Amino acid sequence: MKKVKLRYQKISDAKRFFEILNNPNYIYFSAKPKTIEEERKFLRANLQKRKNNLEYNYTILYGGQMVGGAGIKINQSRNYIGEIGYFVDEDFWGKGIATQVVKLLEKICFDELNLKRIEILPMPANKGSVRVAIKNNYKKEGLMKKVLKHLGKFEDAYLFAKVK
Ligand SMILES: CC(C)(COP(=O)(O)OP(=O)(O)OC[C@H]1O[C@@H](n2cnc3c(N)ncnc32)[C@H](O)[C@@H]1OP(=O)(O)O)[C@@H](O)C(=O)NCCC(=O)NCCS
């Protein structure tokens, strides 16, 4: 397997993220920028979000090539908890990339950000994402009812978590 790496997102990633995220097969993922400019705006906000300990967003590199994005959102009422998320370009699904990304994010969460608890909230129908959580030994703590707002509707999600 080629090496999976994470680096901070750059404004110049906007076009590629726009293409990856607008895949009609991304049915369980809510972030769909309408224009490249909208994506640039999101990327420009990243530095301030890091400084304010809100979000840490990364670009996924696979053998040096940009194939997706991932991030850590800090819980704003309990700042020792982070929620992680990830997406991979469909052309690269099934190669173990997201599984590897979770391992890398976990290191950042526990070793650099000193978090105590990491959560993953996949919709039950999102089998690939559920599998990624299970393969990384996250514990399924339950089903959170109507916790996600997705395409204008409130949806359930599993609560997967790992604690240090
Ligand atoms: C979910 C996602 C990130 C997985 O990325 P990936 O790099 O393909 O993941 P991996 O290759 O590390 O592992 C995927 C696992 O799910 C399994 N899988 C994928 N689709 C599946 C399905 N429909 N049913 C059952 N298992 C499935 C794969 O077989 C693999 O498990 P295995 O190694 O035991 O065979 C990717 O599909 C994606 O970007 N989806 C759109 C965005 C998204 O939904 N993100 C998650 C939001 S919670």
Side-chain angles (χ1 to χ4, degrees):
M1 190 189 173
K2 289 182 194 165
K3 199 159 172 59
V4 177
K5 281 191 184 172
L6 297 179
R7 63 151 169 79
Y8 285 144
Q9 297 177 347
K10 300 178 187 169
I11 317 282
S12 56
D13 293 339
K15 186 166 175 284
R16 182 81 174 108
F17 276 138
F18 175 81
E19 288 164 1
I20 297 174
L21 289 166
N22 276 289
N23 181 341
N25 295 328
Y26 268 36
I27 33 187
Y28 310 110
F29 203 72
S30 309
K32 277 194 196 287
K34 288 191 192 66
T35 60
I36 297 176
E37 189 47 39
E38 185 182 311
E39 183 58 19
R40 275 198 206 100
K41 201 173 157 191
F42 172 88
L43 295 169
R44 277 197 292 265
N46 270 335
L47 179 62
Q48 201 56 44
K49 285 182 186 166
R50 283 202 296 276
K51 283 187 180 158
N52 293 338
N53 196 35
L54 295 171
E55 280 178 36
Y56 298 83
N57 292 320
Y58 301 89
T59 294
I60 305 170
L61 302 177
Y62 178 66
Q65 197 183 350
M66 176 177 172
V67 298
I72 303 161
K73 250 191 208 139
I74 307 297
N75 183 312
Q76 291 305 297
S77 45
R78 299 186 176 93
N79 63 8
Y80 47 88
I81 301 176
E83 179 190 335
I84 60 176
Y86 36 79
F87 60 90
V88 172
D89 180 351
E90 187 175 2
D91 290 347
F92 295 86
W93 284 1
K95 295 176 185 297
I97 297 175
T99 302
Q100 195 60 37
V101 164
V102 169
K103 285 191 204 332
L104 296 172
L105 288 173
E106 197 175 301
K107 267 200 200 103
I108 299 171
C109 286
F110 287 145
D111 300 346
E112 293 177 27
L113 302 176
N114 280 316
L115 301 182
K116 282 284 161 250
R117 175 179 164 88
I118 304 172
E119 299 179 342
I120 308 178
L121 273 65
M123 285 185 216
N126 195 352
K127 304 273 189 241
S129 185
V130 167
R131 216 30 225 134
V132 167
I134 292 170
K135 284 201 292 180
N136 277 288
N137 298 312
Y138 281 68
K139 187 172 181 297
K140 195 202 276 181
E141 297 185 345
L143 179 72
M144 300 176 86
K145 304 295 285 183
K146 310 281 179 201
V147 68
L148 300 179
K149 199 167 178 188
H150 179 62
L151 307 176
K153 281 174 69 189
F154 292 97
E155 301 283 352
D156 302 348
Y158 285 137
L159 172 60
F160 278 94
K162 192 182 273 194
V163 295
K164 196 178 177 184

